[in-house]
Amino acid sequence: MRDLIKRITRDLINSNYAIALTGAGISTESGIPDFRGPSGIWTKNPEEEKLAYRSYQVFLNNPKKWWEETLTTPFGLLEALTKAEPNPGHYALTELGKMGILKRIITQNIDGLHEKAGSKDVVEYHGCISKLRCLSCGSRFPQDKFDLQKLMGEDKLPPHCPKCGGLLKSDGVAFGEPIPADVIHQSTKEIENCDLMLICGTSAVVYPFAALPISAKERTTHKERIDETGKHTFEMVPAVTIIEINAEPTPLTHEGISDYLIQGKTGEILPRIVEEVKRTKAT
Ligand code: APR
């Protein structure tokens, strides 16, 4: 582990544009269960995952009914999500951002914990639990700006966009729902700009998010080599160093998309990396 911490420290310090991709695993140490880990929500209740796959179709067929069900069905995760506080893994990424090393976080998590830990300009790839989004103009609004229970009592659901009158849905992206255009644009830009990608706490099985590291892996760049005769040669090498920090190997590990995996808890590993970066930069 010590050698890997030194290796990732060197890679981070030598990078020009490092980004982090995160999943539910970085929030489990904040008390929010993940989905596919050993005690994940879908692992424990595969039926719930099947229901989740139908949710967007229900919305499209009958937005009023979807909102009534959403507002009247107790959401198991809600308590954990609203009570959760950032953990040392979130704060460590915020610290790498403040050092100017980490330029962007693209998260699948809807818990808002990266922003709560002080990270700026986080790309919320699957949206955020506390926002509503207009399906016509794409505008987002804090959910607490709407009295949804009152709208339901007055039979005025679904809520409509104050800007364009379009249909409002929770900002969280459901299975089968298109990723919002602004998020696609932002994340594509980050994948094109980065030369180091940290992938923290994701099983990397949900697309299109899981395609981001694969696209990064396809990028190449020229590397100059000078041989023993002093002759300069150029060769194409991968443009991005991809590093996983995860409790278990994932398809990215098995398929050689990631250069290496540091196996363990993000809440323990990320702070150790920050300490090693500080120690190295101080010498
Ligand atoms: N430290 C490191 N890794 C962890 C930790 C931890 N403390 N806790 C869990 N993990 C790992 C798990 O072993 C698993 O490999 O994080 C990964 C979490 O994977 P998932 O539960 O599949 O979560 P995620 O990859 O974010 O899911 C993607 O699926 O259900 C949808 O929209 C939902 O955004 C979610 C998407």
Side-chain angles (χ1 to χ4, degrees), residues 10-174:
R10 225 179 18 255
D11 287 340
L12 279 167
I13 290 174
N14 293 337
S15 71
N16 295 306
Y17 198 99
I19 66 172
L21 273 54
T22 69
I26 200 169
S27 293
T28 53
E29 292 165 82
S30 294
I32 302 174
D34 65 9
F35 298 95
R36 299 173 188 82
S39 49
I41 301 170
W42 304 150
T43 313
K44 282 182 174 169
N45 188 339
E47 283 315 304
E48 227 178 280
E49 183 171 18
K50 288 198 191 96
L51 276 175
Y53 270 87
R54 288 202 293 270
S55 163
Y56 187 54
Q57 207 44 57
V58 170
F59 179 86
L60 293 176
N61 294 341
N62 186 335
K64 181 170 186 283
K65 178 171 173 265
W66 184 89
W67 269 109
E68 284 164 352
E69 281 176 5
T70 302
L71 294 173
T72 51
T73 316
F75 174 39
L77 257 184
L78 193 63
E79 198 193 342
L81 280 167
T82 39
K83 270 181 15 187
E85 289 300 323
N87 67 60
H90 296 104
Y91 288 116
L93 291 184
T94 302
E95 187 107 26
L96 287 174
K98 286 179 179 161
M99 291 177 187
I101 293 176
L102 191 67
K103 309 293 185 192
R104 181 77 71 178
I105 295 173
I106 307 175
T107 187
Q108 299 172 92
N109 302 339
I110 61 172
D111 54 34
L113 291 182
H114 285 300
E115 290 89 340
K116 232 174 174 180
S119 290
K120 303 278 180 251
D121 306 327
V122 176
V123 178
E124 293 176 313
Y125 201 80
H126 289 159
C128 181
I129 183 92
S130 63
K131 295 175 190 162
L132 300 187
R133 172 168 37 90
C134 174
L135 297 190
S136 303
C137 68
S139 302
R140 291 179 181 81
F141 308 91
Q143 174 157 323
D144 57 18
K145 291 270 175 275
F146 297 81
D147 187 343
L148 296 167
Q149 292 297 339
K150 185 164 176 284
L151 286 177
M152 180 162 68
E154 294 166 356
D155 199 22
K156 288 184 180 164
L157 287 173
H160 285 85
C161 174
K163 276 193 184 163
C164 77
L167 260 183
L168 287 181
K169 179 185 161 294
S170 59
D171 184 36
V173 176

